[in-house]
């Protein structure tokens, strides 16, 4: 196995650990909210606990699901080994959204409890497939750089992992020294680390210069693309 492939797989392993840790955090939060709903349902009044759970789904889990479909699943659907698995997992996302909708519209405490428990059970099965089947398959697929694909996506990696990327607002740098400072910071990155560049225009000239200096060393991922602010994560690949 080449050194470059080894570095890529090590980077993938590190990203996968962040994803699994965030999964565990989400599962724990969901379990606590669901337990509160079931306990309230036994007393015959689960409205307040139901509303708290539904709000959590909207603020935490559904953004995670949307980010996965856009980035992580988009990669997995292009790979023969994971295409059918991910197609089934997308169907589970739709089923989960349906249960969340049922939860919101349930009238009786019993119906609230059934929807809440069913949604949690489905999510647990879904996480096991993603953690134990899809992610390991992606980790060993040549050409897949999860650090570049998911750089800074706190919805998937968790706030701690996403916040670890340094951010540099180049608008505050002396104009004549901007590229010199940026190049120094990029060169100091280790594989898997990212530098987030913030600017008031698209940094295409910087990208061209970076590619000329270090061919294929960095991956670019736009977080925000104008019209007033451009924010791009530049991740060192190896």
């Amino acid at each position: 196995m080449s050194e470059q492939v080894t570095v890529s797989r090590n980077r993938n392993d590190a990203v996968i650990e962040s994803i699994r840790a965030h999964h565990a955090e989400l599962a724990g939060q969901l379990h606590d909210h669901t337990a509160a709903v079931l306990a309230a349902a036994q007393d015959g009044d689960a409205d307040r606990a139901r509303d708290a759970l539904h709000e959590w789904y909207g603020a935490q889990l559904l953004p995670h699901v949307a980010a996965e479909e856009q980035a992580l699943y988009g990669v997995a659907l292009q790979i023969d080994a994971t295409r059918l698995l991910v197609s089934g997992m997308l169907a589970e996302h739709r089923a989960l959204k349906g249960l969340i909708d049922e939860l919101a519209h349930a009238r009786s405490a019993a119906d609230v409890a059934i929807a809440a428990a069913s949604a949690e059970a489905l999510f647990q099965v879904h996480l096991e497939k993603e953690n134990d089947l899809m992610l390991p398959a992606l980790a060993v697929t040549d050409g897949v750089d999860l650090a570049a694909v998911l750089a800074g996506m706190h919805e998937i990696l968790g706030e701690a992992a996403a916040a670890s990327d340094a951010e540099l607002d180049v608008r505050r740098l002396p104009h004549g020294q901007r590229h010199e400072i940026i190049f120094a910071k990029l060169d100091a990155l280790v594989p898997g680390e990212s530098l987030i560049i913030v600017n008031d225009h698209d940094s295409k000239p910087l990208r061209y210069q970076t590619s000329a200096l270090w061919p294929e060393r960095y991956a670019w991922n736009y977080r925000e693309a104008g019209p007033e602010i451009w924010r791009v994560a530049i991740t060192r690949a190896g």
Side-chain angles (χ1 to χ4, degrees):
M1 184 181 300
S2 69
E3 182 179 352
Q4 184 175 1
V5 172
T6 300
V7 170
S8 178
R9 292 188 179 178
N10 288 342
R11 281 158 50 82
N12 284 348
D13 288 342
V15 173
I16 286 171
E17 285 305 309
S18 295
I19 296 173
R20 285 173 172 163
H22 189 46
H23 282 170
E25 180 182 5
L26 289 173
Q29 294 173 0
L30 176 57
H31 178 74
D32 290 344
H33 277 292
T34 303
V37 168
L38 298 181
Q42 288 184 337
D43 295 332
D45 184 6
D47 288 351
R48 182 176 297 179
R50 182 266 307 277
D51 291 345
L53 173 57
H54 190 263
E55 181 179 353
W56 178 86
Y57 272 123
Q60 298 295 329
L61 190 58
L62 291 181
H64 174 81
V65 166
E68 280 189 332
E69 291 183 359
Q70 177 184 354
L72 195 61
Y73 285 22
V75 173
L77 283 171
Q78 304 303 313
I79 300 169
D80 290 340
T82 53
R83 184 176 296 114
L84 289 178
L85 172 65
V86 173
S87 295
M89 294 174 71
L90 285 168
E92 290 175 348
H93 277 179
R94 293 192 294 271
L96 181 60
K97 292 174 184 177
L99 288 170
I100 294 171
D101 189 58
E102 287 183 22
L103 176 72
H105 295 93
R107 294 183 177 276
S108 69
D111 288 341
V112 168
I114 291 171
S118 298
E120 183 185 14
L122 176 57
F123 183 63
Q124 289 292 348
V125 172
H126 183 81
L127 281 191
E128 290 177 4
K129 292 179 182 178
E130 191 165 313
N131 286 339
D132 300 337
L133 297 175
M134 188 186 77
L135 292 177
L138 292 179
V140 298
T141 299
D142 292 341
V144 173
D145 187 349
L146 293 177
V149 172
L150 304 179
M153 298 191 69
H154 65 85
E155 299 93 345
I156 298 177
L157 300 173
E159 293 288 351
S164 64
D165 295 336
E167 185 167 293
L168 178 65
D169 190 337
V170 302
R171 297 170 297 176
R172 301 177 181 176
L173 300 178
H175 184 76
Q177 301 177 26
R178 287 182 179 180
H179 284 195
E180 181 181 353
I181 294 171
I182 294 170
F183 289 153
K185 289 185 175 293
L186 290 176
D187 197 33
L189 295 175
V190 300
E193 284 188 329
S194 298
L195 176 67
I196 300 173
I197 299 295
V198 181
N199 210 339
D200 55 8
H201 62 273
D202 195 350
S203 300
K204 286 183 178 180
L206 174 65
R207 183 171 188 173
Y208 297 147
Q209 290 180 305
T210 303
S211 298
L213 285 171
W214 300 294
E216 300 183 0
R217 178 183 287 188
Y218 299 99
W220 287 58
N221 179 32
Y222 283 87
R223 306 276 188 79
E224 191 172 352
E228 296 181 358
I229 298 295
W230 274 258
R231 181 176 280 104
V232 59
I234 309 174
T235 304
R236 181 161 180 170

